[in-house]
Amino acid sequence: MAFVGRGILRHRRVAAGRWRLPGHLSSARSGGAIKNDCSRGERRHRGTQSQEMSMIRLIGLLTKKSGMNYADFVDYYEHRHVPLINRIFPGFSAYSRNYVLPNGQVEGGHIEDTPAAPDFNVVTSLWFSDRAALQAALRALDQPDIRSAIIEDENNFIERDRTITFFVDEYATPDANLRGAPKGQTGEKMTKMVVMLNRNPTITVDQMRDYYEGHHSVLAAKYLSMLASYHRNYVISDGSLDTGALESARRPEFDAITEIWFRKQEDIQEMIDTLSEPVAAKLFADDEEKILDRSRIQRFMVDERVTPAADIGRGG
């Protein structure tokens, strides 16, 4: 899990008590990808085609233990640590791991520079239905037996002092606006890309989010309709989890994480080809220049694993 510590909650939205499980996680099945149906737990963003997901989402960036190979890392996390968290850690409603694929950087399209490889190995997410659920989880971490069991197990497969944890505001483009969205299928394994974004230093994160949701995401939905699902997660500036057990817990070096799902591999190449066309390339580059530091964009493929809802609370 790697979120262990005596948490001090500083999330600016949790007081409202209006959080519900997003539909795309409520029906996740074993062995399959998330069904990205944003029909539940959402609200419109200022009348645009964007919807804010009504959920507390906590993200952790984890690095595998030095000397451990990728396959062993994934195997240990999925078959040892995940069942442990499911069994002894309360409060969360959904749980996913996105393993960064070796040599999975995505090149081409309208971005000329070859992206650097991320300096972590997995993007882990826990969703909590409301403030009470999150507080229950944090209280559990104060119990010596639970805390020590999690820390002991984490030491077997991750470099704990390199873990970064933070809260995000999550937005999604309605699947109805995307040609590639599943039409009634469930349990379908999809391919996933993650993109790390840094804002243009002349604007704030809030300004970046407002422009992205009001303009750029609409542009993407119009030209990149091959996407199966499209989410944006904006780092909350005062939403870090201050943990006693993680002395290096800190804000990430980026401002947003974009998640893009594809139903088939050919759709990835179609997106890159679309963004390589001169007119589209200029259109997207010019729009991104307004809000992003384009020299720092990182794009990479991940292997997404989602804990089935039925396994949460019983050890998988």
Side-chain angles (χ1 to χ4, degrees):
M1 183 185 67
F3 300 135
V4 173
R6 182 179 177 83
I8 301 175
L9 182 62
R10 298 197 303 272
H11 191 288
R12 64 183 172 83
R13 296 182 183 274
V14 297
R18 56 176 175 77
W19 307 91
R20 296 189 301 276
L21 180 64
H24 75 289
L25 282 164
S26 64
S27 59
R29 295 185 176 183
S30 178
I34 290 174
K35 180 181 182 294
N36 295 287
D37 175 8
C38 306
S39 59
R40 295 177 56 197
E42 60 196 20
R43 64 186 179 90
R44 294 286 179 179
H45 180 72
R46 298 185 180 182
T48 70
Q49 298 180 61
S50 174
Q51 296 171 327
E52 182 177 5
M53 307 304 290
S54 301
M55 197 72 173
I56 300 174
R57 183 174 184 178
L58 179 62
I59 293 180
L61 308 179
L62 282 58
T63 303
K64 67 181 179 65
K65 194 173 182 65
S66 178
M68 192 176 205
N69 67 45
Y70 176 83
D72 289 343
F73 169 66
V74 174
D75 183 74
Y76 191 97
Y77 200 156
E78 291 300 308
H79 297 109
R80 297 285 296 276
H81 194 68
V82 169
L84 174 69
I85 296 304
N86 289 341
R87 185 173 67 254
I88 70 172
F89 188 63
F92 63 94
S93 299
Y95 183 19
S96 75
R97 285 79 53 203
N98 294 273
Y99 297 98
V100 180
L101 294 176
N103 302 312
Q105 298 97 300
V106 178
E107 303 179 15
H110 66 307
I111 300 175
E112 297 179 357
D113 297 330
T114 299
D119 58 358
F120 50 85
N121 299 105
V122 63
V123 181
T124 292
S125 292
L126 288 173
W127 284 262
F128 300 86
S129 59
D130 54 29
R131 176 175 178 148
L134 178 56
Q135 289 180 329
L138 297 180
R139 284 195 300 270
L141 294 179
D142 283 337
Q143 298 180 28
D145 55 341
I146 293 179
R147 180 188 179 91
S148 61
I150 294 174
I151 291 176
E152 181 179 351
D153 197 56
E154 288 176 350
N155 283 329
N156 292 328
F157 73 106
I158 64 170
E159 299 289 345
R160 299 188 68 253
D161 61 350
R162 294 184 60 183
T163 296
I164 301 174
T165 61
F166 51 97
F167 289 104
V168 296
D169 282 329
E170 181 175 10
Y171 290 77
T173 297
D175 288 353
N177 296 345
L178 300 170
R179 172 170 56 82
K183 308 301 181 185
Q185 294 89 345
T186 59
E188 180 181 6
K189 180 68 175 178
M190 290 191 283
T191 301
K192 184 174 180 181
M193 178 190 299
V194 171
V195 185
M196 303 296 191
L197 302 173
N198 289 81
R199 62 182 170 82
N200 183 316
T202 65
I203 65 173
T204 67
V205 174
D206 285 347
Q207 289 172 327
M208 170 191 176
R209 181 197 63 230
D210 287 347
Y211 187 88
Y212 204 122
E213 295 307 311
H215 299 273
H216 193 70
S217 66
V218 178
L219 181 71
K222 177 180 178 180
Y223 284 86
L224 306 178
S225 60
M226 74 290 295
L227 309 184
S229 195
Y230 180 30
H231 286 219
R232 285 80 56 194
N233 303 279
Y234 301 94
V235 178
I236 299 173
S237 60
D238 61 349
S240 61
L241 184 64
D242 188 5
T243 60
L246 295 174
E247 296 180 359
S248 63
R250 59 197 185 277
R251 191 181 188 281
E253 296 181 354
F254 51 83
D255 298 298
I257 302 177
T258 294
E259 299 172 289
I260 305 171
W261 288 262
F262 304 87
R263 292 189 64 191
K264 54 186 184 295
Q265 288 287 336
E266 292 83 355
D267 291 339
I268 302 174
Q269 189 59 51
E270 182 183 351
M271 183 193 76
I272 293 174
D273 291 345
T274 298
L275 292 173
S276 298
E277 296 173 357
V279 174
K282 185 177 188 309
L283 183 64
F284 275 83
D286 289 349
D287 201 54
E288 290 170 353
E289 288 284 357
K290 298 174 183 177
I291 55 171
L292 303 180
D293 180 348
R294 299 186 71 247
S295 67
R296 300 179 65 184
I297 294 175
Q298 291 180 291
R299 300 181 297 178
F300 50 91
M301 305 304 297
V302 298
D303 175 12
E304 182 179 48
R305 310 289 181 93
V306 180
T307 297
D311 286 348
I312 293 175
R314 69 176 184 86

